[in-house]
Structures are given as structure tokens and as C-alpha cells.
Amino acid sequence: MNRERLCQLEAIAQLQRVRLDQAQLHAAGLRRELQRAQQACQAGLSERDGIQAQWRAALERGAGLDLAAIAGWRSLAGDVQRRCDENEAARRQAQDAVDAFARELLRLRTQSERSDEDAARERAALARKREEKLGDAALERHNALLHEATSRHAQGAAP
């Protein structure tokens, strides 16, 4: 019975380790997505800063900006800001996914550790039971030998 239980516990522990490995791979993928989103945000911010710097430089040069040029700058800045906002939303979504999956990963890690502990306890119980049986068998042999020796000694001493 204990051997069957041990086999079951070891199979469960192995399954939990596989699930944990798969979850860790998924978490790594989510972290890569988050990193890409952060890089896209940085690139968008850099582009926005570059447009703002060009706009300021044009104003400082005193370039005669007509309404069409101003509208063009505003349109360009609006497009870049829209992409920045989209990138930031994607970054927040990726961060939320990483955070949510971190909790799932912790749950899976805990289950895997518990399964390993259950299997280890069952192995230890089986080992103790086996040692007790070996000890009992050795004690029985010792008692039998002692009884035999005592019997022979008693028979040899009798008249």
C-alpha cells in the first residue's frame, strides 16, 4: 500500500515540477513582452522629445511659421503622443499580466514544493518501516540463536 502511495506521490510531484517549468517559461515570455513594451515606450518618448526639440528650435530661429506649418507640427506631435499613450497602455497591460502571473507562479511553486515534501515524507516512512522490519527480523534471529544456545547449554548441564 505504501509503495503504491509513494509512486502516486512521486508522479504527482513530477507533474507539478513539469507544470512549474512550463509556468516559468510562460513567465519569461511575459517578461520579454513587458521589456518590449517598455522599449517601445522609451522609443516613443525619445521621438516625442525629438519633435519637441525641433519645434522649439524652429521657434527660436524665428522661422516664419504659418498656420499650415503650426498645424503640421501639432499633427506630428499628436501622432507621436498617441503612439506614446498606446505604448504606455500596452506597457501597463504587460506589467499587469506579469504581476498576475507572478501570483500564479508562486501558487504553482508552492504546490510543487508540497508535492515534493509529501513524496519525501512517504519515502522516509517506507524507509523507517523497512528498517523496523529488518530490525525485528534481526531481533528474532538473535532471540532464536540465544534460545537455541540456552537450550543446548541447559541440556548439556542436565544430569
Side-chain angles (χ1 to χ4, degrees):
M1 169 89 175
N2 281 342
R3 287 195 185 281
E4 286 178 22
R5 178 155 168 73
L6 176 60
C7 287
Q8 289 172 347
L9 290 172
E10 286 177 340
I12 290 169
Q14 178 62 30
L15 178 62
Q16 292 294 351
R17 283 190 295 274
V18 168
R19 285 182 180 162
L20 179 59
D21 289 345
Q22 290 172 339
Q24 288 172 332
L25 289 174
H26 182 69
L30 289 174
R31 285 190 297 272
R32 283 190 299 275
E33 288 178 26
L34 175 59
Q35 187 177 24
R36 281 192 294 272
Q38 288 171 332
Q39 290 169 345
C41 279
Q42 289 295 70
L45 292 173
S46 294
E47 184 180 3
R48 185 190 66 192
D49 292 346
I51 288 173
Q52 287 176 345
Q54 290 173 7
W55 166 256
R56 284 191 203 103
L59 288 177
E60 287 175 8
R61 284 193 309 267
L65 298 175
D66 60 7
L67 289 178
I70 291 172
W73 280 107
R74 280 190 172 167
S75 175
L76 190 57
D79 289 345
V80 170
Q81 185 60 51
R82 180 185 47 73
R83 285 194 304 275
C84 281
D85 292 344
E86 289 169 358
N87 289 337
E88 179 58 25
R91 187 206 62 77
R92 278 194 307 271
Q93 188 177 22
Q95 183 66 56
D96 290 346
V98 166
D99 293 345
F101 199 73
R103 289 185 292 276
E104 175 67 9
L105 188 61
L106 180 60
R107 185 185 69 78
L108 288 170
R109 183 174 291 129
T110 301
Q111 282 180 343
S112 179
E113 289 170 356
R114 285 182 183 158
S115 294
D116 287 339
E117 290 167 359
D118 290 345
R121 274 193 300 277
E122 192 66 25
R123 271 192 298 279
L126 273 175
R128 275 193 308 275
K129 193 173 185 179
R130 188 173 30 247
E131 286 176 12
E132 287 173 5
K133 283 183 180 180
L134 289 174
D136 289 347
L139 185 58
E140 283 180 32
R141 280 192 308 272
H142 174 74
N143 286 341
L145 290 173
L146 185 61
H147 177 70
E148 186 179 310
T150 307
S151 294
R152 276 192 242 144
H153 179 42
Q155 287 175 354

